[in-house]
Amino acid sequence: MSEQKETYILAIETSCDETAAAIIKDGTEVVANVVATQIESHKRFGGVVPEIASRHHVEQMTIVLEEVFAKANMTMEQIDAVAVTEGPGLVGALLVGVSSAKALAYAHQKPLIGVHHIAGHIYANRLQEEFTFPLLALVVSGGHTELILMKEHGVFEVIGETRDDAAGEAYDKVARTLDLPYPGGPEVDRLAQLGEDTLSFPRAWLEEDSYDFSFSGLKSAVINTLHNAKQKGNDLKRENIAASFQASVIDVLTEKTYRAAKDHQVNQVIIAGGVAANKGLRASLEEKFKEESIQLSIPPLWLCTDNAAMIGAAGTIAYQKGNRAGWDMNANPGLDLESYGMRGRS
Amino acid sequence: MNILAIDTSNDAMGIAIYQQDKVIAEYVSINKNKHSTRLMPAIAQVMEDANVTPRDLTKIVVAKGPGSYTGVRIGLSVAKTMAWSLQIPVVAVSSLEILALQAKAMQQLICPFFDARRGLVFTGLYQFNSGEFTTVREDQNILFENWLEQVKSLNQAIIFISPDLSIYQDLIQEKLGELAIFLPEGFHNARPSLLAIAGKDRTGEELHSLQPSYLRLVEAEAKWLEEQKEKQHE
Ligand SMILES: [Zn+2]
């Protein structure tokens, strides 16, 4: 085999409230990674305000780009292609990244690549260790709760998804009910570590053979329990509410992931997305897969939350498949993962 | 000298190339909400027609708003990132000033405006004295009725320029009577060639901190500030 030249991808991610850029080598190595977070700015509103997020992206974009090139000690000339999150996400926020990526690619006459945000979350793991197919990815974030089966690079089969709220959404709402500061997910996780599952909230298993999820019932149960306790003057320990809520979420996520992994005889299970940072979820999955020959991959925290390194990792696959976006590429807030994976196939 | 001018701040998308001492290419298309898909293909086409490569560019001039938040961001994102990566200066010009440039040959006060819905407009007041440009009233977001009362008190003739003139022409006429002057048809859309000319001799902005001119707080932010004020009074 002849020695192949390295591939360097510059990646941009602006789908929500992080302005991020990264340079990735050969789809597996992080050369430089920069994330400018806006959490502080959105905190006072208790959630991400889309217009404010978009405004921050315009303020941060070139600063972040400058930093990533400085860190990598590289120039645009050494970059093979520009990858950018095309969707899903907040449309106004996505547009800043897409416009900037186009400008960079056009100015230096480089190929432009659109990347699916969830493909990115999954590929974050490839920056840690190589994939072994077939693999199952559990993607849990503020907007997503999905089980995705992969038999080869860049092709995705969604075998389970949430029918109502994403797990992260349920976390945020429960956090608000418990008067925890934004972002609520990590706060609930922290509080849950101090409490016990005393309230045994329902587990939404749905149909026996379904890999789908549902969290709205659980969310209502938590809110109602708290409400009733308040009316009766009972003082429920917040730690126990958090622990009981978290136990229900984690039970379902762990059980369904385990069953899907066994049913599809996968070699690797990947946990991806912001909620993958959850300590309880990590511990539960590690325990469940301890005795199995299935390899369980949980990326470090900085790869779980939104970043551009993951977009570069997924973008490298799209680049190798020959997928190129035109100058008319648009932000696509409703981009479908499966059809994204079928691009470039006749 | 090769200047690329970009305006996506309102319904009209405009691109122009200014070379040495003249405009050599200009493209205008009025198509609301399509700026994201149409801007880069149009830039590529205009550049090709003008036989200019990105590397040949010496400056980018961009319309910074006021206008559509998304539109302004698309233009500014492209202009900032391109200028940054090509290491050339970027100049930002008020979208209202660009409109006013269509009456550069006139002596009267000039009032360019864009409709901002619910009776509000983005507007300002400009004047040229033998080609020299002055801002009489800063760009602002205001109820047009109130604005017209204000400028009427100046008791001077005013030229109105706006792609949204048809919405407000009767109101202007009613409020200002003979003081109101309207340019003929064809002079009410911003021209990117005039943008290029306006920016050609100006020095570049501090690139990273260059921001759109939104002229309006985000609603959530305005509400939050209001709440803080109330808290202080309590
Ligand atoms: Zn994400």
Side-chain angles (χ1 to χ4, degrees), chain A residues 44-45 49 51-52 54-55 58-59 62-63 65-66 69 77 95-96 99-100 102-104 106-109 327-330, chain B residues 36-37 40-41 44 47 54-55 69-70 73-74 77-78 80-82 84-86 207-208 211 214 216 218 220-221 224:
Chain A
R44 57 195 157 137
F45 308 114
V49 179
E51 174 62 23
I52 290 176
S54 305
R55 290 186 178 192
V58 179
E59 287 167 24
T62 53
I63 297 173
L65 285 169
E66 189 158 291
F69 276 102
E77 297 323 304
L95 274 173
V96 175
S99 301
S100 300
K102 284 186 196 176
L104 269 184
Y106 174 73
H108 299 271
Q109 302 291 298
W327 298 134
D328 63 347
M329 173 185 173
N330 204 356
Chain B
S36 159
T37 52
M40 273 327 285
M47 294 269 287
R55 228 154 265 295
Y69 295 165
T70 301
R73 272 196 288 271
I74 289 169
S77 294
V78 168
K80 281 179 76 174
T81 308
M82 238 167 122
W84 171 78
S85 80
L86 293 169
L207 189 134
H208 291 313
Q211 291 300 307
Y214 296 110
R216 235 196 238 181
V218 179
E221 206 165 21
W224 183 83

Short mmCIF file of all heavy atoms in Angstrom, two decimals, chain A residues 44-45 49 51-52 54-55 58-59 62-63 65-66 69 77 95-96 99-100 102-104 106-109 327-330, chain B residues 36-37 40-41 44 47 54-55 69-70 73-74 77-78 80-82 84-86 207-208 211 214 216 218 220-221 224:
data_model
loop_
_atom_site.label_atom_id
_atom_site.label_comp_id
_atom_site.label_asym_id
_atom_site.label_seq_id
_atom_site.Cartn_x
_atom_site.Cartn_y
_atom_site.Cartn_z
N ARG A 44 -29.42 34.10 32.39
CA ARG A 44 -30.43 35.01 32.96
C ARG A 44 -31.81 34.78 32.36
O ARG A 44 -32.81 35.20 32.92
CB ARG A 44 -29.99 36.47 32.77
CG ARG A 44 -29.73 36.81 31.31
CD ARG A 44 -28.95 38.10 31.16
NE ARG A 44 -28.29 38.10 29.86
CZ ARG A 44 -28.23 39.14 29.05
NH1 ARG A 44 -28.76 40.30 29.42
NH2 ARG A 44 -27.62 39.06 27.90
N PHE A 45 -31.88 34.10 31.19
CA PHE A 45 -33.18 33.83 30.58
C PHE A 45 -33.66 32.41 30.89
O PHE A 45 -34.74 32.03 30.47
CB PHE A 45 -33.13 34.03 29.08
CG PHE A 45 -32.56 35.35 28.66
CD1 PHE A 45 -31.36 35.41 27.97
CD2 PHE A 45 -33.20 36.53 29.00
CE1 PHE A 45 -30.81 36.64 27.59
CE2 PHE A 45 -32.67 37.76 28.63
CZ PHE A 45 -31.47 37.81 27.94
N VAL A 49 -31.81 31.70 24.14
CA VAL A 49 -32.64 32.60 23.32
C VAL A 49 -32.02 32.61 21.91
O VAL A 49 -30.90 33.09 21.74
CB VAL A 49 -32.66 34.03 23.90
CG1 VAL A 49 -33.51 34.96 23.02
CG2 VAL A 49 -33.19 34.02 25.32
N GLU A 51 -32.21 34.27 19.06
CA GLU A 51 -31.68 35.50 18.45
C GLU A 51 -30.39 35.95 19.15
O GLU A 51 -29.45 36.40 18.50
CB GLU A 51 -32.74 36.61 18.49
CG GLU A 51 -32.29 37.99 18.02
CD GLU A 51 -31.83 38.04 16.56
OE1 GLU A 51 -32.22 37.18 15.75
OE2 GLU A 51 -31.05 38.98 16.24
N ILE A 52 -30.34 35.78 20.45
CA ILE A 52 -29.12 36.16 21.19
C ILE A 52 -27.98 35.21 20.82
O ILE A 52 -26.84 35.64 20.63
CB ILE A 52 -29.40 36.17 22.70
CG1 ILE A 52 -30.32 37.36 23.03
CG2 ILE A 52 -28.10 36.26 23.50
CD1 ILE A 52 -30.74 37.45 24.47
N SER A 54 -27.57 33.71 17.96
CA SER A 54 -27.11 34.09 16.62
C SER A 54 -26.20 35.32 16.68
O SER A 54 -25.18 35.38 16.01
CB SER A 54 -28.29 34.39 15.71
OG SER A 54 -29.18 33.30 15.67
N ARG A 55 -26.59 36.29 17.50
CA ARG A 55 -25.79 37.51 17.62
C ARG A 55 -24.40 37.20 18.17
O ARG A 55 -23.39 37.73 17.70
CB ARG A 55 -26.51 38.54 18.50
CG ARG A 55 -27.74 39.10 17.80
CD ARG A 55 -28.41 40.22 18.57
NE ARG A 55 -29.57 40.72 17.80
CZ ARG A 55 -30.23 41.83 18.07
NH1 ARG A 55 -29.87 42.57 19.10
NH2 ARG A 55 -31.25 42.20 17.33
N VAL A 58 -21.96 35.73 15.55
CA VAL A 58 -21.32 36.71 14.68
C VAL A 58 -20.15 37.39 15.40
O VAL A 58 -19.12 37.67 14.83
CB VAL A 58 -22.33 37.79 14.19
CG1 VAL A 58 -21.63 38.81 13.30
CG2 VAL A 58 -23.48 37.15 13.44
N GLU A 59 -20.33 37.62 16.70
CA GLU A 59 -19.26 38.26 17.49
C GLU A 59 -18.05 37.34 17.64
O GLU A 59 -16.92 37.81 17.71
CB GLU A 59 -19.77 38.60 18.91
CG GLU A 59 -20.73 39.76 18.96
CD GLU A 59 -21.44 39.85 20.31
OE1 GLU A 59 -20.90 39.36 21.32
OE2 GLU A 59 -22.56 40.40 20.34
N THR A 62 -14.93 34.87 13.94
CA THR A 62 -13.56 35.06 13.45
C THR A 62 -12.53 34.96 14.58
O THR A 62 -11.40 34.53 14.36
CB THR A 62 -13.39 36.42 12.72
OG1 THR A 62 -13.86 37.46 13.58
CG2 THR A 62 -14.16 36.43 11.41
N ILE A 63 -12.95 35.29 15.80
CA ILE A 63 -12.05 35.16 16.95
C ILE A 63 -11.71 33.68 17.16
O ILE A 63 -10.56 33.30 17.36
CB ILE A 63 -12.70 35.74 18.23
CG1 ILE A 63 -12.96 37.24 18.05
CG2 ILE A 63 -11.83 35.48 19.46
CD1 ILE A 63 -13.76 37.90 19.17
N LEU A 65 -11.98 31.25 14.96
CA LEU A 65 -11.19 30.76 13.82
C LEU A 65 -9.71 31.14 13.98
O LEU A 65 -8.82 30.31 13.77
CB LEU A 65 -11.73 31.34 12.50
CG LEU A 65 -13.03 30.72 11.98
CD1 LEU A 65 -13.61 31.56 10.84
CD2 LEU A 65 -12.81 29.28 11.53
N GLU A 66 -9.49 32.38 14.36
CA GLU A 66 -8.10 32.84 14.53
C GLU A 66 -7.38 32.00 15.58
O GLU A 66 -6.23 31.60 15.41
CB GLU A 66 -8.09 34.32 14.92
CG GLU A 66 -6.71 34.93 14.91
CD GLU A 66 -6.76 36.44 14.77
OE1 GLU A 66 -7.15 36.91 13.69
OE2 GLU A 66 -6.43 37.13 15.74
N PHE A 69 -6.52 28.37 14.31
CA PHE A 69 -5.36 28.33 13.40
C PHE A 69 -4.07 28.61 14.15
O PHE A 69 -3.03 28.01 13.86
CB PHE A 69 -5.55 29.30 12.24
CG PHE A 69 -6.37 28.73 11.11
CD1 PHE A 69 -7.70 29.09 10.95
CD2 PHE A 69 -5.81 27.81 10.24
CE1 PHE A 69 -8.46 28.54 9.92
CE2 PHE A 69 -6.57 27.25 9.21
CZ PHE A 69 -7.89 27.62 9.05
N GLU A 77 -4.15 27.28 3.69
CA GLU A 77 -3.55 26.57 2.55
C GLU A 77 -3.32 25.09 2.85
O GLU A 77 -3.34 24.26 1.96
CB GLU A 77 -2.23 27.24 2.14
CG GLU A 77 -2.38 28.68 1.65
CD GLU A 77 -3.65 28.91 0.84
OE1 GLU A 77 -3.84 28.20 -0.17
OE2 GLU A 77 -4.46 29.78 1.22
N LEU A 95 -26.95 29.37 10.43
CA LEU A 95 -26.63 30.20 9.26
C LEU A 95 -25.32 30.95 9.40
O LEU A 95 -24.63 31.17 8.41
CB LEU A 95 -27.77 31.19 9.00
CG LEU A 95 -28.92 30.67 8.15
CD1 LEU A 95 -30.05 31.68 8.11
CD2 LEU A 95 -28.44 30.35 6.73
N VAL A 96 -24.97 31.33 10.63
CA VAL A 96 -23.71 32.05 10.82
C VAL A 96 -22.54 31.12 10.50
O VAL A 96 -21.61 31.50 9.78
CB VAL A 96 -23.59 32.60 12.26
CG1 VAL A 96 -22.23 33.24 12.48
CG2 VAL A 96 -24.70 33.60 12.54
N SER A 99 -22.56 30.32 6.64
CA SER A 99 -22.07 31.47 5.85
C SER A 99 -20.56 31.63 5.98
O SER A 99 -19.87 31.88 4.99
CB SER A 99 -22.76 32.76 6.29
OG SER A 99 -24.16 32.65 6.15
N SER A 100 -20.07 31.47 7.19
CA SER A 100 -18.63 31.62 7.42
C SER A 100 -17.85 30.50 6.73
O SER A 100 -16.78 30.74 6.15
CB SER A 100 -18.32 31.63 8.91
OG SER A 100 -18.98 32.70 9.53
N LYS A 102 -18.74 28.81 4.10
CA LYS A 102 -18.75 29.07 2.66
C LYS A 102 -17.71 30.11 2.29
O LYS A 102 -17.00 29.97 1.29
CB LYS A 102 -20.12 29.58 2.23
CG LYS A 102 -21.20 28.54 2.13
CD LYS A 102 -22.42 29.24 1.54
CE LYS A 102 -23.68 28.48 1.74
NZ LYS A 102 -24.84 29.25 1.25
N ALA A 103 -17.66 31.18 3.09
CA ALA A 103 -16.72 32.27 2.81
C ALA A 103 -15.28 31.75 2.83
O ALA A 103 -14.48 32.07 1.96
CB ALA A 103 -16.90 33.40 3.82
N LEU A 104 -14.97 30.93 3.84
CA LEU A 104 -13.61 30.37 3.95
C LEU A 104 -13.30 29.47 2.77
O LEU A 104 -12.22 29.56 2.17
CB LEU A 104 -13.52 29.52 5.22
CG LEU A 104 -13.06 30.18 6.51
CD1 LEU A 104 -12.95 29.13 7.58
CD2 LEU A 104 -11.74 30.90 6.32
N TYR A 106 -14.75 29.31 -0.16
CA TYR A 106 -14.69 30.05 -1.43
C TYR A 106 -13.40 30.86 -1.54
O TYR A 106 -12.72 30.83 -2.58
CB TYR A 106 -15.91 30.96 -1.59
CG TYR A 106 -15.78 31.83 -2.82
CD1 TYR A 106 -15.95 31.28 -4.09
CD2 TYR A 106 -15.44 33.18 -2.72
CE1 TYR A 106 -15.77 32.06 -5.23
CE2 TYR A 106 -15.27 33.96 -3.84
CZ TYR A 106 -15.44 33.40 -5.10
OH TYR A 106 -15.25 34.15 -6.22
N ALA A 107 -13.06 31.57 -0.48
CA ALA A 107 -11.89 32.44 -0.51
C ALA A 107 -10.62 31.66 -0.82
O ALA A 107 -9.70 32.17 -1.43
CB ALA A 107 -11.74 33.19 0.81
N HIS A 108 -10.58 30.40 -0.38
CA HIS A 108 -9.36 29.59 -0.60
C HIS A 108 -9.60 28.44 -1.55
O HIS A 108 -8.76 27.54 -1.65
CB HIS A 108 -8.82 29.12 0.75
CG HIS A 108 -8.46 30.28 1.63
ND1 HIS A 108 -7.21 30.86 1.61
CD2 HIS A 108 -9.20 31.01 2.49
CE1 HIS A 108 -7.20 31.89 2.45
NE2 HIS A 108 -8.39 32.00 3.00
N GLN A 109 -10.76 28.46 -2.21
CA GLN A 109 -11.08 27.46 -3.23
C GLN A 109 -10.90 26.03 -2.70
O GLN A 109 -10.19 25.21 -3.29
CB GLN A 109 -10.23 27.70 -4.48
CG GLN A 109 -10.42 29.10 -5.08
CD GLN A 109 -11.81 29.30 -5.71
OE1 GLN A 109 -12.17 28.61 -6.65
NE2 GLN A 109 -12.60 30.21 -5.16
N TRP A 327 -22.18 25.98 -3.35
CA TRP A 327 -22.20 27.32 -2.72
C TRP A 327 -23.61 27.70 -2.29
O TRP A 327 -23.81 28.66 -1.57
CB TRP A 327 -21.64 28.38 -3.67
CG TRP A 327 -20.22 28.18 -4.07
CD1 TRP A 327 -19.70 28.26 -5.33
CD2 TRP A 327 -19.11 27.90 -3.21
NE1 TRP A 327 -18.34 28.03 -5.31
CE2 TRP A 327 -17.96 27.81 -4.03
CE3 TRP A 327 -18.96 27.71 -1.84
CZ2 TRP A 327 -16.68 27.53 -3.51
CZ3 TRP A 327 -17.70 27.43 -1.32
CH2 TRP A 327 -16.58 27.35 -2.15
N ASP A 328 -24.61 26.95 -2.78
CA ASP A 328 -26.00 27.25 -2.41
C ASP A 328 -26.45 26.46 -1.19
O ASP A 328 -27.62 26.45 -0.84
CB ASP A 328 -26.94 26.97 -3.59
CG ASP A 328 -26.94 25.49 -3.97
OD1 ASP A 328 -26.04 24.75 -3.52
OD2 ASP A 328 -27.83 25.08 -4.74
N MET A 329 -25.52 25.80 -0.52
CA MET A 329 -25.87 25.06 0.69
C MET A 329 -26.61 25.95 1.68
O MET A 329 -26.28 27.10 1.87
CB MET A 329 -24.57 24.58 1.34
CG MET A 329 -24.76 23.94 2.68
SD MET A 329 -23.10 23.59 3.32
CE MET A 329 -23.51 23.08 4.93
N ASN A 330 -27.64 25.37 2.31
CA ASN A 330 -28.43 26.14 3.28
C ASN A 330 -28.33 25.49 4.65
O ASN A 330 -27.98 24.32 4.76
CB ASN A 330 -29.89 26.18 2.84
CG ASN A 330 -30.62 27.38 3.40
OD1 ASN A 330 -30.06 28.15 4.18
ND2 ASN A 330 -31.86 27.55 2.99
N SER B 36 -29.45 33.28 1.94
CA SER B 36 -28.54 32.24 2.40
C SER B 36 -28.12 31.32 1.25
O SER B 36 -26.94 30.99 1.12
CB SER B 36 -29.20 31.42 3.50
OG SER B 36 -28.58 30.17 3.63
N THR B 37 -29.07 30.91 0.42
CA THR B 37 -28.72 30.01 -0.68
C THR B 37 -28.14 30.76 -1.88
O THR B 37 -27.40 30.20 -2.66
CB THR B 37 -29.94 29.20 -1.15
OG1 THR B 37 -31.01 30.10 -1.42
CG2 THR B 37 -30.38 28.21 -0.09
N MET B 40 -23.58 33.15 -1.98
CA MET B 40 -22.27 32.64 -2.42
C MET B 40 -22.25 32.30 -3.92
O MET B 40 -21.28 32.63 -4.60
CB MET B 40 -21.83 31.44 -1.59
CG MET B 40 -21.07 31.74 -0.31
SD MET B 40 -20.00 33.16 -0.22
CE MET B 40 -18.61 32.63 -1.16
N PRO B 41 -23.31 31.65 -4.45
CA PRO B 41 -23.30 31.41 -5.90
C PRO B 41 -23.21 32.73 -6.68
O PRO B 41 -22.51 32.80 -7.69
CB PRO B 41 -24.65 30.72 -6.16
CG PRO B 41 -25.01 30.09 -4.86
CD PRO B 41 -24.47 31.00 -3.80
N ALA B 44 -19.68 34.14 -6.47
CA ALA B 44 -18.80 33.36 -7.34
C ALA B 44 -19.01 33.77 -8.81
O ALA B 44 -18.05 33.94 -9.56
CB ALA B 44 -19.05 31.87 -7.16
N MET B 47 -17.78 37.47 -9.47
CA MET B 47 -16.31 37.48 -9.46
C MET B 47 -15.76 36.89 -10.77
O MET B 47 -14.81 37.41 -11.35
CB MET B 47 -15.79 36.65 -8.27
CG MET B 47 -16.13 37.26 -6.92
SD MET B 47 -14.88 38.39 -6.27
CE MET B 47 -13.60 37.23 -5.80
N PRO B 54 -10.57 35.44 -5.61
CA PRO B 54 -10.58 35.89 -4.22
C PRO B 54 -9.24 36.52 -3.80
O PRO B 54 -9.20 37.50 -3.07
CB PRO B 54 -10.86 34.61 -3.43
CG PRO B 54 -11.63 33.75 -4.38
CD PRO B 54 -11.10 34.05 -5.74
N ARG B 55 -8.15 35.94 -4.30
CA ARG B 55 -6.83 36.43 -3.97
C ARG B 55 -6.56 37.85 -4.47
O ARG B 55 -5.72 38.57 -3.93
CB ARG B 55 -5.80 35.49 -4.59
CG ARG B 55 -4.73 35.07 -3.67
CD ARG B 55 -4.17 33.74 -4.08
NE ARG B 55 -4.84 32.68 -3.33
CZ ARG B 55 -4.75 32.55 -2.03
NH1 ARG B 55 -4.06 33.44 -1.31
NH2 ARG B 55 -5.36 31.58 -1.40
N TYR B 69 -32.55 40.81 10.56
CA TYR B 69 -31.46 40.32 11.42
C TYR B 69 -30.67 39.21 10.72
O TYR B 69 -29.45 39.21 10.70
CB TYR B 69 -32.01 39.75 12.73
CG TYR B 69 -32.69 40.74 13.64
CD1 TYR B 69 -33.49 40.29 14.70
CD2 TYR B 69 -32.54 42.11 13.48
CE1 TYR B 69 -34.12 41.17 15.55
CE2 TYR B 69 -33.18 43.01 14.32
CZ TYR B 69 -33.97 42.53 15.36
OH TYR B 69 -34.59 43.40 16.21
N THR B 70 -31.41 38.25 10.19
CA THR B 70 -30.76 37.11 9.54
C THR B 70 -30.00 37.55 8.31
O THR B 70 -28.86 37.15 8.09
CB THR B 70 -31.80 36.04 9.16
OG1 THR B 70 -32.46 35.62 10.35
CG2 THR B 70 -31.16 34.84 8.50
N ARG B 73 -26.82 39.27 9.19
CA ARG B 73 -25.82 38.32 9.71
C ARG B 73 -25.17 37.51 8.60
O ARG B 73 -23.97 37.23 8.66
CB ARG B 73 -26.47 37.38 10.72
CG ARG B 73 -26.47 37.92 12.12
CD ARG B 73 -26.75 36.84 13.12
NE ARG B 73 -28.12 36.40 13.09
CZ ARG B 73 -29.10 36.96 13.82
NH1 ARG B 73 -28.82 37.96 14.61
NH2 ARG B 73 -30.32 36.51 13.74
N ILE B 74 -25.94 37.15 7.59
CA ILE B 74 -25.37 36.38 6.48
C ILE B 74 -24.30 37.22 5.78
O ILE B 74 -23.18 36.77 5.57
CB ILE B 74 -26.48 35.95 5.48
CG1 ILE B 74 -27.36 34.87 6.13
CG2 ILE B 74 -25.88 35.45 4.17
CD1 ILE B 74 -28.64 34.57 5.36
N SER B 77 -21.29 37.81 8.17
CA SER B 77 -20.51 36.58 8.40
C SER B 77 -19.61 36.29 7.21
O SER B 77 -18.43 35.97 7.38
CB SER B 77 -21.45 35.38 8.62
OG SER B 77 -22.17 35.54 9.81
N VAL B 78 -20.18 36.44 6.02
CA VAL B 78 -19.38 36.20 4.81
C VAL B 78 -18.27 37.24 4.71
O VAL B 78 -17.10 36.91 4.49
CB VAL B 78 -20.27 36.20 3.56
CG1 VAL B 78 -19.44 36.25 2.28
CG2 VAL B 78 -21.18 34.96 3.55
N LYS B 80 -16.89 39.28 7.01
CA LYS B 80 -15.88 39.22 8.08
C LYS B 80 -14.94 38.03 7.87
O LYS B 80 -13.73 38.16 7.96
CB LYS B 80 -16.56 39.09 9.46
CG LYS B 80 -17.10 40.40 10.01
CD LYS B 80 -17.77 40.18 11.38
CE LYS B 80 -16.77 40.00 12.51
NZ LYS B 80 -17.45 39.95 13.83
N THR B 81 -15.53 36.85 7.61
CA THR B 81 -14.71 35.65 7.49
C THR B 81 -13.81 35.71 6.27
O THR B 81 -12.64 35.36 6.32
CB THR B 81 -15.60 34.40 7.43
OG1 THR B 81 -16.51 34.43 8.53
CG2 THR B 81 -14.77 33.14 7.52
N MET B 82 -14.37 36.22 5.16
CA MET B 82 -13.57 36.32 3.95
C MET B 82 -12.43 37.32 4.14
O MET B 82 -11.28 37.03 3.81
CB MET B 82 -14.46 36.79 2.79
CG MET B 82 -14.46 35.83 1.62
SD MET B 82 -15.77 36.25 0.50
CE MET B 82 -14.81 36.50 -0.97
N TRP B 84 -11.11 38.33 6.93
CA TRP B 84 -10.16 37.81 7.91
C TRP B 84 -9.21 36.81 7.27
O TRP B 84 -7.99 36.89 7.43
CB TRP B 84 -10.91 37.16 9.09
CG TRP B 84 -9.98 36.42 9.98
CD1 TRP B 84 -9.15 36.96 10.92
CD2 TRP B 84 -9.73 35.01 9.97
NE1 TRP B 84 -8.41 35.97 11.51
CE2 TRP B 84 -8.74 34.76 10.94
CE3 TRP B 84 -10.25 33.93 9.23
CZ2 TRP B 84 -8.25 33.48 11.20
CZ3 TRP B 84 -9.77 32.66 9.49
CH2 TRP B 84 -8.79 32.44 10.46
N SER B 85 -9.76 35.88 6.50
CA SER B 85 -8.91 34.82 5.97
C SER B 85 -8.04 35.29 4.81
O SER B 85 -6.98 34.74 4.56
CB SER B 85 -9.74 33.60 5.57
OG SER B 85 -10.34 33.80 4.32
N LEU B 86 -8.48 36.33 4.09
CA LEU B 86 -7.67 36.88 3.01
C LEU B 86 -6.76 38.01 3.52
O LEU B 86 -5.99 38.58 2.76
CB LEU B 86 -8.56 37.40 1.87
CG LEU B 86 -9.37 36.35 1.09
CD1 LEU B 86 -10.41 37.01 0.20
CD2 LEU B 86 -8.44 35.47 0.25
N LEU B 207 -11.78 44.22 12.79
CA LEU B 207 -12.55 43.12 12.20
C LEU B 207 -13.34 42.29 13.20
O LEU B 207 -14.54 42.07 13.04
CB LEU B 207 -11.61 42.22 11.38
CG LEU B 207 -12.35 41.17 10.55
CD1 LEU B 207 -11.80 41.11 9.13
CD2 LEU B 207 -12.29 39.80 11.18
N HIS B 208 -12.67 41.79 14.25
CA HIS B 208 -13.35 40.88 15.16
C HIS B 208 -14.57 41.52 15.83
O HIS B 208 -15.58 40.87 16.04
CB HIS B 208 -12.40 40.39 16.26
CG HIS B 208 -11.32 39.49 15.75
ND1 HIS B 208 -11.58 38.45 14.89
CD2 HIS B 208 -9.99 39.47 15.98
CE1 HIS B 208 -10.46 37.82 14.62
NE2 HIS B 208 -9.48 38.42 15.26
N GLN B 211 -19.84 44.48 14.24
CA GLN B 211 -21.17 43.93 14.53
C GLN B 211 -22.21 44.48 13.58
O GLN B 211 -22.09 45.61 13.12
CB GLN B 211 -21.58 44.35 15.95
CG GLN B 211 -20.79 43.71 17.02
CD GLN B 211 -20.93 42.21 16.97
OE1 GLN B 211 -22.04 41.68 16.96
NE2 GLN B 211 -19.81 41.52 16.88
N TYR B 214 -28.15 46.39 14.49
CA TYR B 214 -29.50 45.85 14.63
C TYR B 214 -30.50 46.96 14.97
O TYR B 214 -31.67 46.90 14.63
CB TYR B 214 -29.55 44.80 15.75
CG TYR B 214 -28.72 43.56 15.51
CD1 TYR B 214 -27.57 43.32 16.26
CD2 TYR B 214 -29.10 42.63 14.57
CE1 TYR B 214 -26.82 42.17 16.07
CE2 TYR B 214 -28.35 41.47 14.37
CZ TYR B 214 -27.21 41.25 15.13
OH TYR B 214 -26.47 40.12 14.94
N ARG B 216 -31.95 47.40 17.56
CA ARG B 216 -33.04 46.92 18.40
C ARG B 216 -32.51 45.83 19.30
O ARG B 216 -31.77 44.96 18.85
CB ARG B 216 -34.12 46.29 17.50
CG ARG B 216 -35.50 46.88 17.69
CD ARG B 216 -36.50 45.95 17.07
NE ARG B 216 -37.29 46.60 16.05
CZ ARG B 216 -38.26 45.99 15.37
NH1 ARG B 216 -38.51 44.71 15.59
NH2 ARG B 216 -38.94 46.63 14.47
N VAL B 218 -32.84 42.42 21.51
CA VAL B 218 -33.65 41.21 21.42
C VAL B 218 -34.75 41.34 22.47
O VAL B 218 -34.51 41.84 23.56
CB VAL B 218 -32.79 39.96 21.71
CG1 VAL B 218 -33.62 38.70 21.64
CG2 VAL B 218 -31.62 39.90 20.74
N ALA B 220 -36.29 39.38 24.49
CA ALA B 220 -36.02 38.77 25.80
C ALA B 220 -35.06 39.64 26.61
O ALA B 220 -35.20 39.77 27.82
CB ALA B 220 -35.44 37.37 25.62
N GLU B 221 -34.11 40.24 25.91
CA GLU B 221 -33.12 41.09 26.58
C GLU B 221 -33.77 42.39 27.06
O GLU B 221 -33.51 42.84 28.18
CB GLU B 221 -31.99 41.39 25.60
CG GLU B 221 -30.67 41.68 26.25
CD GLU B 221 -29.53 41.61 25.26
OE1 GLU B 221 -29.77 41.72 24.04
OE2 GLU B 221 -28.39 41.43 25.72
N TRP B 224 -35.76 41.65 30.08
CA TRP B 224 -34.88 41.39 31.22
C TRP B 224 -34.35 42.71 31.80
O TRP B 224 -34.35 42.91 33.02
CB TRP B 224 -33.72 40.49 30.77
CG TRP B 224 -32.78 40.09 31.86
CD1 TRP B 224 -32.94 39.08 32.76
CD2 TRP B 224 -31.53 40.72 32.19
NE1 TRP B 224 -31.87 39.03 33.61
CE2 TRP B 224 -30.99 40.02 33.29
CE3 TRP B 224 -30.81 41.80 31.65
CZ2 TRP B 224 -29.77 40.36 33.86
CZ3 TRP B 224 -29.59 42.14 32.23
CH2 TRP B 224 -29.08 41.42 33.32
#
